[in-house]
Amino acid sequence: MSKYVYMFSEGNGSMRELLGGKGANLAEMSNLGLPVPQGFTITTEVCTKYYNEGQVLSDDVKEQIFEALAKIEEMSGKKLGGTENPLLVSVRSGARASMPGMMDTILNLGLNDEVVEVVASLTNNPRFAYDSYRRFIQMFSDVVMEVPKSNYEKLIDEMKEKKGVKLDTELDADDLKELTKQFKAYYKSVKGVDFPQDPKEQLMAAILAVFRSWDNPRAIYYRRMNDIPSSWGTAVNVQSMVFGNMGYDCGTGVAFTRNPSTGEKKLYGEYLMNAQGEDVVAGIRTPLSIQELEKQNPEVFKQFNEICKILEDHYKDMQDMEFTIEKGKLYMLQTRNGKRTAVAALKIAIDLVNEGKLTKEEALMKIEPKQLDTLLHPQFDAKELKAATPITSGLPASPGAACGKAYMTAEKAIAASQKGEKVLIVRLETSPEDIEGMAVAEGCLTARGGMTSHAAVVARGMGTCCVAGCGDLVVDEENNCFSIKGKVFHEGDVLSLDGSTGNVYDGAIKTVEASTGGDFGIIMAWADECRALKVRTNADTPNDAAVAVRFGAEGIGLCRTEHMFFEADRIMAVREMILSKTVEGRKAALAKILPMQRGDFEGIYKALEGRPATIRFLDPPLHEFVPHTEDEMKVLAEDMGLTLADVKEAVDSLHEFNPMLGHRGCRLSITYPEIAEMQTRAVIEAAINVNKEMGWNIVPEIMIPLVGEVKELSYVKDIVDATAKAVMAEKGVEIEYMVGTMIEVPRAALTADEIATKAQFFSFGTNDLTQTTFAFSRDDAGKFLGDYYSKKVFEKDPFASVDQIGVGKLIKMAAAAGKEVRPDIKLGVCGEHGGDPSSVEFFHNVGLTYVSCSPYRVPLARLAAAQANIKNPRK
Amino acid sequence: MSKYVYMFSEGNGSMRELLGGKGANLAEMSNLGLPVPQGFTITTEVCTKYYNEGQVLSDDVKEQIFEALAKIEEMSGKKLGGTENPLLVSVRSGARASMPGMMDTILNLGLNDEVVEVVASLTNNPRFAYDSYRRFIQMFSDVVMEVPKSNYEKLIDEMKEKKGVKLDTELDADDLKELTKQFKAYYKSVKGVDFPQDPKEQLMAAILAVFRSWDNPRAIYYRRMNDIPSSWGTAVNVQSMVFGNMGYDCGTGVAFTRNPSTGEKKLYGEYLMNAQGEDVVAGIRTPLSIQELEKQNPEVFKQFNEICKILEDHYKDMQDMEFTIEKGKLYMLQTRNGKRTAVAALKIAIDLVNEGKLTKEEALMKIEPKQLDTLLHPQFDAKELKAATPITSGLPASPGAACGKAYMTAEKAIAASQKGEKVLIVRLETSPEDIEGMAVAEGCLTARGGMTSHAAVVARGMGTCCVAGCGDLVVDEENNCFSIKGKVFHEGDVLSLDGSTGNVYDGAIKTVEASTGGDFGIIMAWADECRALKVRTNADTPNDAAVAVRFGAEGIGLCRTEHMFFEADRIMAVREMILSKTVEGRKAALAKILPMQRGDFEGIYKALEGRPATIRFLDPPLHEFVPHTEDEMKVLAEDMGLTLADVKEAVDSLHEFNPMLGHRGCRLSITYPEIAEMQTRAVIEAAINVNKEMGWNIVPEIMIPLVGEVKELSYVKDIVDATAKAVMAEKGVEIEYMVGTMIEVPRAALTADEIATKAQFFSFGTNDLTQTTFAFSRDDAGKFLGDYYSKKVFEKDPFASVDQIGVGKLIKMAAAAGKEVRPDIKLGVCGEHGGDPSSVEFFHNVGLTYVSCSPYRVPLARLAAAQANIKNPRK
């Protein structure tokens, strides 16, 4: 029979896949002899089995659970539901990868009307017993029975009001006993049955709820955001309860071995006496700094410090731990590698190398590439900041500067963001439901909660600026407004937040680029030493090119020339070209564009300081350039000496049923070779001019888009070659140049051997290749991708992370065929996937030469490329 | 040094690739000892070289040409441009595959002002000399120098008018001498230089012109229509002239060893005395039947008959020959396997087998599958035909019946055809420029020309009905009308043509289906014996299914269910379903559709008489079903109790940027599982009902469209399985059924191994697969495909003939992967390519189980499948 349940003593830290991170680490801590309450782990395989079998637990699993429970009962001398020495347990999720707050937890399980009295009398602490029971009813209702917790919170608030107290801790045993009555009555009014009294029934229901929570919408969303496969499943940990809420010699806390915000090597954390873990995390009471513990209980503090050292040395990484003090005795409830800000991630990595605990390679592997983004985001302009006076401040929960319009719900923030607004989320406190709103926000401001509150943890993970626990902030959800020190703000009002200081400003403050030196520079230098894949950038302007160079780009992998066609000073000429019915007419219009386009390229070449640039010829369908309002058409008609009807007809004739699959890319150059002529001339002339002026040796790379057949490339290449030859003859200068193609149509990948005979380089356009390989229009897929995620047909957005199975197969085939025909072929990627870490790893493994991504993604790609090469070194 | 030029004596019939069909056969005839005028062939490789080297002839080629010329001069004792015994030559194209009339020919080359006099005096026939010279000037001007022939024709007409004669032959030597003067003057007035007098210069210019003509638009079009690669090139044949126009003991003709119209085993052809070949083919003078030759010159006739027998026995096929009689001596100028009507093709094939000349397999290989189409086209309804009186008749040049609106130019016929009209082309005579118009016409009626005229030859090749040489037809091009026996007809008037009798009728005559017995039945039976690939049909109605079964379909490969959704009695329910915002609303609407859809399937199952049917679930985007005019929207709004604004909003929300890549196919069933439920229920209930009624054992095949990821299929298959199980439980009947998928998205082909774990069959949807593999929208590609053909980027329409390189690679990969995972997987094709012979051959070679095509293509596919298996027998 398969083993589905492991006692903590049976597992160890390497069994993360089977036991989940929490379970494996609890087992490991047990093995290290640390004080861990007894318990057992139901494996991740059971989760998969549960889903495969129609969301039920099989009898053999149940049997093993009860066996393990019996062992805990035996070891502890306590019994679940026992009336002599009752056992209470926690039931907690624990996936292979940490998914903080995404799944569910139930504490104090085993309490019922009878047991609560036994606990009260055994502990001689009826207040504790009823506090635990009311918590259990609340949590079990919410998590297992879908009776929202907030309704119970109202009853507590009413009770506090009635008693004239402010804090939960000020309620006495009788108040809490009364509350449990009210809770149970409320439960029955909603569910129509009594609150479950059988502890084993409670246990099985709680376990099922944890497995169910693996597929709740926020967990699905989190997995998609973090590349976690749905097939991994979660484990469930059932552990004897220890109590931080038995009185003021009890407490509970969360701590990090180093500062997760700055990386400083100093114990960092928070705790609350007479509380359970949820109180610390939920941010309802503001906790104390872990350093206070030294005064309150020096012995426990010393023991805790020793444990921290043991754990950090053991795991060779900064640890994030949960602990509880029960009647003065310390228990460890969890340890894991701690989430950290990007700044902290870099500092900790460098410190651990300097402390001799890690090699550079190991240190690089500890840094999440996506986090680097934070470091690159603008900070406030120093001068404006100096002039500004904060209206209040809160906890500096996640660094960075943000400025935007304030919205008070995730939905509104998302809606405004979709309209192009920069938004801030302002909330009493955040909860997992707010995660999508936080993802689109520039920053987040909360009234409640500490540095380990939900808002703070999530914002740091996302690299979003966050100011938490801002006591001056009064949120009035009913009236959609909030006030700070009496000044009322409405939704849409602009605030500025400094997540590094916690300061909040009224109105907008200018932001400036982040610096890229210091720890960042050290880590990037290590990454560059370790990687094999080059990193270029997608940039269409000298400014973007310069930013990218500063971030370490080794050239431009994709310069889209169509963006230049839209600029105000040339769009009329572009429209003239499109509306001309003769080659001469088009050539005349193109002649007007030539000097401007040449200027564009000169600017870009200079910004690149001699680095290479791949310039893609005109790609979009021409209808994107023509006016679609009657007023604009009139202007164009006048300008060209045409009637409005002529212009309308011409514009109508450009209509396409499926423009994505229409007259675009190299198809334009085949119909209108004069466009390719002009663009070649602009590229070659610009290179000659800049080479001459700067003494450089730029080798232009001309890229033909949307090729699916070698003869398409060949036709356009002939034009390029003839034009280049003519330009060089005119200028009396010979320069080298390359002609290559995008591989963005399946047929190009399938016939890459033929295409490589004419292409000196391939650049995989993974955006379009994804569209055509899936037959998904990116513009339309939104209508059904939601259903795809919710029905688990897709786990990831194939436009965010490259589909390694299907699209990846085409890339592999094409790369191999290209190299076969032309061993020195240059292979790159210029889709947005070039800035996605798991995609970068794939591109490394496939043997590409470079990835190209947006300027702000360049550092990410450098680190991801290094990690890929550390995992799978390129020969 | 490469050999570029072959004397006829150096070649043979097997060297078709190098020497072209004409050159190889001239060599073969020489080897057989037949009377062939001396000459040489410039190889097809030279054509390729000519294009590769920028349309010039290299010096080594020129050298070899002049060497070969010297050999002819030596053998004949004549000299090109010689003033003692001048040599005249013809210069003619000759590709590997016959392309009648598509490329250029020059006769009488070598004449100039001096030589013409020598010829006149040597032959003592100045009329002949000047007739030859004026012909040469005309032809050389037209073909080599781009001075249109028609201008010269005008001068001839003026001369005839002046002289009061009707026929060219009535002009005397002086008239012709005067005409040559006028011709040369006209030439100089157009070109600004004298007509070239140097015979070697004439020769090289003529050779270049023939190579150039390989790429004229009508040749490109012909190649695309006939799957002839541009890379094959044409050879050029230079041959000593013999003259049919030296007097009335001279003549020229074209003949077939059997009747190309009926297949009757009897010499068939036409000739003209005192004429050159162009006179016979052009149809300007109406030639005599070859049988007349027996009276005019029994000896030559006997000799010709003997040669015919030798050639037919040698080539084992009906021969199409050109001959010339010079001063009573017979010369063979060409032989080739003759083009024939479908009726003739079948009869000749069967006769050749019966005569012991061919095996069945060899006979099948002689039949062009595309031709079968003709046999399947409607004939006139016998009753209506009996009641109808022809208004005139012409030559029955290409069989079949046609009825349509008459148009007098190819352009107008094409335009009307694009509007959906059935059209006829009515012309004085047709020329190669009319080929595209003839392709869209139901039939063709000409005033001039015989059975071997351009119109007749081309129409037979296309399987288009043609009545030629209709003497009563008077064409008035200037006034866009024509008259028959005085009755004036205007463009758009309806005529009916009987290509089998030559009769022409005023007005429309009803047509009926063709019969499929007789020779057709014999050949089809042979084909069925020889093929390995099964043939199914694409049919959505019981009627189509019945037609296809009559044509030999072995089942339905694609039954599109969406067509049923459009029918008047259910479109409202479909719209209700689309506009419903709840599952319940959709289910209520679908419940209305269910009985009708079940009835559709019952009808189809019955029409198939127990044969299998693959039923594809709803595929198109939903916006195709909703109304787009305000009136229709109002009706729908009332019907559904909605406001017009609601309906408009709903319709707008269905808009997609790229509907081809949008919310369609299986994506619909993932969003709205209730659609798949209803369709499953309809399919399974219909099969159970029909099985019960008829005692059959139908195994329904349910096909899920647009799958690109196995989980899509898996999701929909789960719905199908659950519904089927429920239906069978309700009915108390168990039946087998299959669930499979279309492979029409590149990713499906790339992940076919995964998909095969869930799919019992694959059906390659090569239409969509072509669109996505090329990233071509079929609706939009028309805008640029014209440029692609003219610039030789594409030679074929990938939607007509499957792209074996790119799309084919995906098909091969998917077929192999599917078989690997599921050895008994059924593999089919249901794109339009299933009715294209070269595509069918490819599908056979790839190892598919069946092709499915439209009912009228079924016989074609059966024959093509047989030919494929004869070429490459399946183990």
Side-chain angles (χ1 to χ4, degrees), chain A residues 655 670 712 783 788 791, chain B residues 655 670 712 783 788 791:
Chain A
H655 168 79
I670 290 170
E712 293 177 314
K783 285 190 186 165
Y788 270 50
K791 295 179 179 181
Chain B
H655 168 78
I670 291 171
E712 293 176 314
K783 285 190 186 166
Y788 269 51
K791 295 180 180 182

Side-chain angles (χ1 to χ4, degrees), chain A residues 652-664 666-667 669-673 706 708-709 711-712 715 744-754 771-781 783-784 787-788 791-795 803-807 809-810 813, chain B residues 652-664 666-667 669-673 706 708-709 711-712 715 744-754 771-781 783-784 787-788 791-795 803-807 809-810 813:
Chain A
D652 285 349
S653 77
L654 293 172
H655 168 79
E656 293 184 308
F657 294 97
N658 294 288
M660 167 67 213
L661 306 178
H663 195 188
R664 50 177 287 243
C666 66
R667 298 164 196 171
S669 294
I670 290 170
T671 313
Y672 308 119
L706 214 72
E709 153 64 45
K711 287 184 191 165
E712 293 177 314
Y715 182 87
E744 55 186 336
V745 166
R747 197 177 186 279
L750 293 164
T751 63
D753 50 347
E754 293 180 0
Q771 294 199 80
T772 48
T773 303
F774 277 90
F776 273 1
S777 158
R778 197 170 179 174
D779 293 325
D780 301 310
K783 285 190 186 165
F784 53 85
D787 291 314
Y788 270 50
K791 295 179 179 181
K792 295 171 78 175
V793 173
F794 278 7
E795 292 179 13
D803 159 42
Q804 300 187 13
I805 306 296
V807 175
K809 193 175 209 167
L810 284 177
M813 285 170 63
Chain B
D652 285 349
S653 77
L654 292 173
H655 168 78
E656 292 185 307
F657 295 97
N658 295 289
M660 166 67 212
L661 306 177
H663 195 189
R664 51 176 288 244
C666 67
R667 299 164 196 170
S669 294
I670 291 171
T671 313
Y672 307 119
L706 213 71
E709 152 64 45
K711 287 184 193 166
E712 293 176 314
Y715 182 87
E744 55 185 335
V745 165
R747 196 175 186 280
L750 293 164
T751 63
D753 50 346
E754 293 180 0
Q771 295 198 78
T772 48
T773 303
F774 278 89
F776 273 1
S777 157
R778 197 169 179 174
D779 293 326
D780 301 309
K783 285 190 186 166
F784 55 85
D787 290 315
Y788 269 51
K791 295 180 180 182
K792 295 171 76 174
V793 174
F794 277 8
E795 294 180 12
D803 159 44
Q804 299 185 14
I805 307 297
V807 176
K809 193 174 211 169
L810 283 178
M813 285 170 63

Side-chain angles (χ1 to χ4, degrees), chain B residues 298-613:
Chain B
E299 231 163 285
V300 165
F301 184 71
K302 187 169 164 254
Q303 186 194 357
F304 185 66
N305 267 286
E306 285 164 6
I307 289 174
C308 286
K309 192 173 177 324
I310 290 169
L311 287 173
E312 204 187 82
D313 286 354
H314 186 73
Y315 286 106
K316 296 184 175 176
D317 202 352
M318 183 266 268
Q319 294 298 298
D320 165 4
M321 301 151 300
E322 289 179 21
F323 63 93
T324 285
I325 304 163
E326 186 186 78
K327 300 273 174 197
K329 180 163 164 37
L330 176 67
Y331 292 93
M332 298 302 294
L333 300 184
Q334 168 159 323
T335 192
R336 60 185 174 192
N337 294 338
K339 302 253 173 209
R340 63 206 74 179
T341 64
V343 168
L346 301 188
K347 179 164 168 50
I348 291 170
I350 293 168
D351 286 352
L352 288 171
V353 170
N354 291 339
E355 291 163 23
K357 288 186 184 151
L358 295 180
T359 63
K360 286 178 187 177
E361 286 77 8
E362 286 167 342
L364 287 175
M365 294 306 292
K366 302 270 181 195
I367 304 169
E368 171 55 56
K370 281 184 181 172
Q371 272 200 313
L372 293 181
D373 206 30
T374 340
L375 301 176
L376 311 172
H377 278 157
Q379 301 290 320
F380 286 133
D381 175 81
K383 212 167 148 191
E384 286 205 8
L385 189 65
K386 210 171 162 187
T389 310
I391 50 171
T392 183
S393 70
L395 299 171
S398 180
C403 166
K405 295 187 177 180
Y407 288 95
M408 297 175 64
T409 67
E411 291 79 34
K412 288 187 211 162
I414 291 166
S417 156
Q418 281 169 348
K419 281 191 227 144
E421 290 183 13
K422 303 219 166 217
V423 303
L424 302 179
I425 286 208
V426 178
R427 302 275 292 154
L428 187 64
E429 55 187 324
T430 65
S431 66
E433 283 72 27
D434 297 320
I435 187 165
E436 295 194 44
M438 293 176 71
V440 303
E442 307 294 310
C444 180
L445 173 64
T446 66
R448 288 193 193 160
M451 291 298 286
T452 55
S453 66
H454 177 267
V457 169
V458 170
R460 280 200 296 271
M462 287 179 172
T464 303
C465 154
C466 178
V467 174
C470 175
D472 292 334
L473 173 65
V474 180
V475 173
D476 178 355
E477 290 195 0
E478 279 180 22
N479 296 304
N480 295 318
C481 64
F482 58 90
S483 62
I484 295 172
K485 295 185 179 167
K487 172 163 182 184
V488 177
F489 293 85
H490 296 277
E491 288 188 299
D493 287 348
V494 174
L495 293 180
S496 297
L497 306 179
D498 190 332
S500 310
T501 61
N503 285 339
V504 179
Y505 303 85
D506 188 0
I509 300 177
K510 203 173 114 187
T511 54
V512 292
E513 308 282 341
S515 121
T516 50
D519 286 349
F520 178 84
I522 293 170
I523 292 291
M524 284 293 109
W526 290 355
D528 291 347
E529 282 169 28
C530 293
R531 70 189 160 93
L533 198 61
K534 291 188 183 297
V535 177
R536 292 193 180 192
T537 192
N538 301 345
D540 313 336
T541 63
N543 183 50
D544 281 359
V547 169
V549 166
R550 196 146 43 80
F551 288 155
E554 296 165 278
I556 287 181
L558 174 62
C559 174
R560 298 180 187 86
T561 55
E562 55 268 22
H563 289 185
M564 304 164 186
F565 279 48
F566 282 108
E567 286 184 25
D569 57 349
R570 53 196 89 167
I571 184 68
M572 281 307 290
V574 172
R575 289 172 176 174
E576 271 178 48
M577 173 194 79
I578 294 171
L579 266 67
S580 293
K581 290 191 176 151
T582 62
V583 174
E584 292 66 35
R586 282 193 295 275
K587 284 194 172 174
L590 286 162
K592 295 183 198 170
I593 303 169
L594 172 65
M596 300 185 259
Q597 177 113 97
R598 185 176 55 227
D600 296 327
F601 297 142
E602 287 169 355
I604 285 169
Y605 281 137
K606 286 185 183 174
L608 286 174
E609 298 164 354
R611 292 175 184 81

Side-chain angles (χ1 to χ4, degrees), chain B residues 239-261:
Chain B
Q239 190 174 22
S240 304
M241 284 295 299
V242 286
F243 296 95
N245 60 337
M246 282 177 84
Y248 284 90
D249 57 349
C250 301
T252 190
V254 175
F256 296 83
T257 55
R258 303 182 187 224
N259 186 317
S261 225

Side-chain angles (χ1 to χ4, degrees), chain A residues 577-596:
Chain A
M577 173 194 77
I578 294 170
L579 266 65
S580 293
K581 290 191 177 154
T582 63
V583 175
E584 293 67 36
R586 280 192 295 274
K587 283 192 173 173
L590 286 162
K592 295 185 198 169
I593 303 169
L594 172 65
M596 299 185 260

